[in-house]
Coordinates of all heavy atoms in Angstrom, one line a residue:
G18 N -148.7 61.3 -34.6 CA -148.8 61.7 -33.2 C -147.6 61.1 -32.5 O -147.0 61.8 -31.6
D19 N -147.3 59.9 -32.7 CA -146.2 59.2 -32.0 C -144.9 60.0 -32.3 O -144.0 60.2 -31.4 CB -146.0 57.8 -32.4 CG -147.2 56.9 -31.9 OD1 -147.9 57.4 -31.0 OD2 -147.5 55.9 -32.5
A27 N -135.2 65.3 -37.1 CA -134.1 64.9 -38.0 C -132.9 65.8 -37.8 O -133.0 67.0 -37.5 CB -134.6 65.1 -39.5
D33 N -121.9 77.6 -43.3 CA -121.7 79.1 -43.5 C -120.6 79.2 -44.5 O -119.4 79.1 -44.2 CB -121.3 79.7 -42.2 CG -121.2 81.2 -42.3 OD1 -121.5 81.8 -43.4 OD2 -120.8 81.9 -41.3
L45 N -107.9 92.1 -77.7 CA -107.1 92.9 -78.6 C -107.5 92.6 -80.0 O -107.7 91.4 -80.4 CB -105.6 92.5 -78.4 CG -105.0 92.7 -77.0 CD1 -103.6 92.2 -77.0 CD2 -105.0 94.2 -76.6
L53 N -110.1 91.6 -93.9 CA -109.8 90.6 -92.9 C -109.4 91.4 -91.6 O -108.6 92.3 -91.6 CB -108.6 89.7 -93.3 CG -108.1 88.7 -92.3 CD1 -109.1 87.7 -92.0 CD2 -106.8 88.0 -92.8
S79 N -135.9 66.0 -63.1 CA -135.6 66.5 -64.5 C -134.3 65.9 -65.0 O -134.2 65.8 -66.2 CB -135.5 68.0 -64.5 OG -134.4 68.4 -63.7
T80 N -133.5 65.4 -64.2 CA -132.3 64.7 -64.6 C -132.4 63.2 -64.4 O -131.5 62.4 -64.8 CB -131.0 65.2 -63.9 OG1 -131.1 65.0 -62.5 CG2 -130.8 66.7 -64.1
R82 N -132.2 61.6 -61.5 CA -131.1 61.2 -60.6 C -131.4 61.6 -59.2 O -132.2 62.5 -58.9 CB -129.8 61.8 -61.1 CG -129.2 61.1 -62.2 CD -128.3 61.9 -63.1 NE -127.6 61.2 -64.1 CZ -128.2 60.7 -65.2 NH1 -129.5 61.0 -65.4 NH2 -127.5 60.0 -66.1
E93 N -114.5 77.2 -59.3 CA -113.8 76.9 -60.5 C -113.0 78.2 -60.9 O -113.5 79.3 -60.8 CB -114.8 76.6 -61.6 CG -115.6 75.3 -61.5 CD -116.5 75.1 -62.6 OE1 -116.8 76.1 -63.4 OE2 -117.0 74.0 -62.8
D99 N -109.0 82.8 -76.8 CA -109.6 82.5 -78.1 C -109.0 83.4 -79.1 O -108.7 84.6 -78.9 CB -111.1 82.6 -78.0 CG -111.6 84.0 -77.6 OD1 -111.7 84.8 -78.5 OD2 -111.8 84.2 -76.4
Q151 N -115.2 67.5 -58.4 CA -114.4 68.5 -59.2 C -113.0 68.0 -59.4 O -112.4 67.3 -58.6 CB -114.4 69.9 -58.6 CG -113.9 70.0 -57.2 CD -114.1 71.4 -56.7 OE1 -113.8 71.7 -55.5 NE2 -114.5 72.4 -57.5
S188 N -107.5 66.1 -66.3 CA -106.0 66.2 -66.3 C -105.4 64.8 -66.5 O -104.2 64.7 -66.9 CB -105.6 66.8 -65.0 OG -106.1 66.1 -63.9
S208 N -134.4 86.6 -98.4 CA -135.0 87.7 -97.6 C -135.3 88.9 -98.5 O -134.5 89.1 -99.5 CB -134.1 88.2 -96.4 OG -132.9 88.6 -96.9

Side-chain angles (χ1 to χ4, degrees):
D19 291 340
D33 183 7
L45 302 173
L53 177 66
S79 64
T80 63
R82 281 153 175 75
E93 291 181 347
D99 61 86
Q151 59 185 170
S188 54
S208 61

